[in-house]
Amino acid sequence: MFKLFTKDFWDVVARLILRNKIGILIGIAIITFFFSLQWTNMRFTYTEANLLPDDHEVNLTYNDFLKTFGEEGNLVLLGVKDEALFSVAKLNAWNRLSETFKKYDAVETVISIKDLQKLIKDVPNEKFNLEPFIKDSITTISQIEKLQEELFHKYPFYDNFLFNSETKTIRTALYLKKEIVNTPARKEFIVEKLIPEIEAFQSLHELDVRVSGMPYIRTLNSQIIIDEIGWFVGSALFVTSIIFFFFFRSFRATFISLVVVCIGVMWTLGILGLLNYEITVLTALIPPLIIVIGIPNCIFLINKYQHEVKLHGNKVKSLQRVITKIGNATLMTNVTTASGFATFILTESKLLKEFGIVASLSILAIFILCLLIIPIIYTFLPFPKDRHLEHLNKRWIGGFVNWMEYMVRQKRIAVYATSVILLIASIIGIYQIKISGSLIEDMPKKTEFFSDIRFFEEEFNGIMPLEIMIDTKRRKGVMKLSTLKRMNELEDLIIETPELSKPVSVVSLVKYSKQAYYNGNPKFYQLPSSQENSFILSYAKNSSSNVDLLKNFVDSTGQYARITTFMKDIGTDKMERIQENIQNKIDKVFPNERYNVTMTGKALVFQKGTKYLVKNLAISLSLAILLISIFMAYMFRSARMIIVSLIPNLLPLLVTAGLMGYLGVPIKPSTILVFSIAFGISVDDTIHFLAKYRQELLANQWKIKVSVYNALRETGVSMFYTSIVLFFGFSVFTISSFGGTVALGALVSATLLFAMLSNLILLPSLLISLERSIANKEVFREPSINIIPEEDEAD
């Protein structure tokens, strides 16, 4: 065990790689082919991201609601706000469009203006009958005027559902079959049937049709995720290859690196298929991440090879030293990076757990590929020409290294003062960070479907469903007048809340029944009295099954009722206040011994999921710090060195968190990832610097300053190269349409840039200032496991 990863171990690894190169390449080809076969198992997610554990109370409540009332996210809405609609030709065309969707197998129900029916009192038979507002097609303007009068002024039951009586906005509701909502059939209907029909209608009748609803939003949102994978991979390859070529000025080295990372991407997709994971907004980021993380590996290996060739001119010896001298340091840096991602495995969120598993496995895989492929390929290539080695003597790089050395030698006080100022400012900024639990905040703002979301928010107060389920604890308890009055009191609070839409429930239907009992007089749209209730219910019971409108609001036993409202896209703070107000009302109105009332819905589940992740952020980051501290202890056998090495990596995280507060970037699922990812990557620079520093201490008889400056000159170039690649590589994500992905890319890039400067300036300054208290023979005694390369790292 303790002989693993020693110098002798890496000598054996080098011999095995260089002597079995053909067999290794064949093995890589076979594994790559195997992973390519797994691509057929990849599938894109058709559900919303559920950030909570399956056994979380909020998820259990939501699942209970679905068991009682079925899938709630099956509503697609079409809307038009245009006075031109109220003409004979265009209103008939709108009704025909709505009728068209009834023929599709994916659609369960369509409710449009033409489908609206009045409850009519049938006195002789003591029952209610249904009579349509529009019996046949409309032929005259007077019919339209009568329809508008009835809809907008006489029948409040339908107000805010199929029309807005104030703005005259009209909409049609399509209920998809619940069993297809979370399947590919939903996408097929939306993309191949719904959208073409609407586009044809718009071009023919010159009306702007707005479309929304969770099935529609999820379908187009998922399609953008799919489309962006290719853009991310292509952009990451382009950006990293351009930077790589700029540094090395070698088409050969650039091409080799691209081959390696492309195979890494193939393996990543194969891992996704092999594990049968869905491609989500998070796992879609892993292929470009592998490119961005893999290129620095290539830089260290190729840079080391070229340095060795320039040093002694022996190609075989150079390739052997590439493996033996930096193989272990590169392994450690990849392990720490993988650890940053692997901390998500320990969360109970399925979404994050899958992301952590695939990302960490892929990072280890790209390390293995780099270590195997690059030395083997170079054995087949001719000796590097002088132009391939010119980058090792670039003057501007020398100037950068001289500037860093000057700052460490002459400006340490300024470095510490700047660090303290940044720390204080960051802490102030951290207190300004807000938490966002919005389902749609990260959706592409420039897309048409996002503007449609805002349209329906403005016209109908939102599209994000919030459900309240009332368990009366007895059969037929819902239709008790006492229950209806309690529900009505709760609905009054919802109506008074501007962020919520008008609620829909059995209460509205009972009010409508009373209005119908009094011959459609809108003044009687209210709950019946105790005396009226028995008469009205008798009418309802005698009515035909066609008048049974209760099925969507009351379960078959009459024990459970639902109140459905829709929420605007509001901040987490507002949502929590609204939830608290509703819960206080529930506690006041519904006695616990007689009722069990719960709030649920997709918007609430997502908001709770975000809060859950925020609570787990500290745990995840603490685990990353603990794991990396263990690696540091394994390398340096010094608790004091662990503390010194963590300071330059924690400061950039605090600076980034402070920037989030000042710039108004909230904590949300996408930005939560920043800290563990950035910490796992940024600590790589620390490992490379301290590895070289320890070697210099041993070579220079524990002369601290000489060792620090030598380590800075030797590792500064490679750290600069890799940091620039990582900075621009993560910046690729800022081209995304998704706000969360943009924030992730920008924040990780900024963090890594701060981390580079921190590791190249603050860390050497600390080592010199603390002198013997952290660097002596006792602290850096020769360990039994030789982790550190005995010769210089990649320069």
Side-chain angles (χ1 to χ4, degrees), residues 440-564:
I440 67 173
E441 182 181 18
D442 280 345
M443 290 181 182
K445 302 289 191 297
K446 296 180 180 179
T447 57
E448 188 174 344
F449 79 81
F450 189 86
S451 64
D452 287 352
I453 291 174
R454 295 303 189 203
F455 169 82
F456 282 103
E457 275 195 345
E458 184 178 339
E459 295 296 322
F460 297 96
N461 276 25
I463 60 165
M464 301 300 164
L466 177 65
E467 301 280 357
I468 300 172
M469 187 167 73
I470 297 102
D471 175 9
T472 62
K473 299 184 179 180
R474 57 192 183 279
R475 289 178 64 85
K476 299 183 179 180
V478 171
M479 298 309 295
K480 298 286 185 183
L481 187 59
S482 58
T483 300
L484 295 173
K485 287 182 177 179
R486 295 176 195 277
M487 290 175 65
N488 187 56
E489 195 172 340
L490 179 58
E491 288 188 15
D492 286 341
L493 174 64
I494 295 174
I495 292 170
E496 292 170 3
T497 305
E499 293 83 4
L500 299 176
S501 69
K502 178 184 173 184
V504 182
S505 73
V506 65
V507 172
S508 305
L509 186 59
V510 173
K511 290 179 179 180
Y512 189 23
S513 299
K514 179 176 177 177
Q515 180 184 355
Y517 186 79
Y518 286 98
N519 300 313
N521 189 334
K523 292 181 179 180
F524 290 95
Y525 183 76
Q526 55 189 247
L527 284 177
S529 63
S530 301
Q531 294 79 9
E532 292 169 327
N533 194 43
S534 57
F535 294 111
I536 292 172
L537 285 180
S538 67
Y539 266 70
K541 289 176 182 178
N542 293 335
S543 301
S544 65
S545 59
N546 291 332
V547 191
D548 183 15
L549 303 176
L550 291 176
K551 62 181 180 179
N552 286 324
F553 306 120
V554 182
D555 81 314
S556 57
T557 67
Q559 178 177 332
Y560 296 91
R562 70 190 284 191
I563 299 174
T564 301

Side-chain angles (χ1 to χ4, degrees), residues 283-327:
T283 52
L285 300 178
I286 298 177
L289 273 174
I290 294 307
I291 296 171
V292 173
I293 293 170
I295 289 293
N297 286 340
C298 299
I299 287 176
F300 275 106
L301 291 166
I302 294 174
N303 210 20
K304 176 64 178 177
Y305 168 65
Q306 294 181 348
H307 178 83
E308 288 289 336
V309 165
K310 183 180 179 182
L311 192 65
H312 51 70
N314 187 319
K315 187 173 80 168
V316 175
K317 183 180 179 181
S318 298
L319 291 171
Q320 186 175 12
R321 286 192 171 185
V322 166
I323 300 168
T324 58
K325 301 306 178 184
I326 68 167

Side-chain angles (χ1 to χ4, degrees), residues 711-722:
L712 188 60
R713 283 190 292 269
E714 293 287 350
T715 61
V717 176
S718 288
M719 290 166 67
F720 176 75
Y721 280 5
T722 55

Side-chain angles (χ1 to χ4, degrees), residues 378-397:
Y378 270 102
T379 62
F380 296 106
L381 295 177
F383 195 85
K385 297 178 181 178
D386 290 340
R387 60 186 175 85
H388 295 147
L389 308 178
E390 287 178 359
H391 69 94
L392 297 173
N393 300 315
K394 284 180 183 161
R395 291 183 179 179
W396 67 273
I397 289 291

Side-chain angles (χ1 to χ4, degrees), residues 340 343-344 347 352 430 433-435 609-625 653 657 660 666-677 679:
T343 54
F344 299 119
T347 66
L352 284 181
I430 288 170
I433 293 180
K434 296 181 179 178
I435 299 172
T610 303
K611 294 287 286 185
Y612 172 82
L613 286 188
V614 172
K615 290 180 181 178
N616 280 270
L617 170 61
I619 298 173
S620 175
L621 188 56
S622 298
L623 285 171
I625 293 171
L653 297 185
M660 290 174 65
I667 286 285
K668 49 189 174 182
S670 51
T671 54
I672 281 174
L673 302 176
V674 169
F675 300 98
S676 294
I677 292 174
F679 185 77

Side-chain angles (χ1 to χ4, degrees), residues 23 61 74 132 222 226 254 260 303 306 348 370 481 484 525 540 553 591 663 685 724 762-763:
T61 300
N74 64 329
S222 298
I226 295 169
T254 304
V260 173
N303 210 20
Q306 294 181 348
E348 295 299 322
C370 290
L481 187 59
L484 295 173
Y525 183 76
F553 306 120
L663 298 176
D685 283 346
I724 293 300
L762 179 59
L763 178 58

Side-chain angles (χ1 to χ4, degrees), residues 7 129 132 152 200 374 415 476-477 724 741 792:
K7 183 177 183 301
N129 292 323
F152 300 150
I374 289 177
V415 169
K476 299 183 179 180
I724 293 300
T741 307
D792 61 275

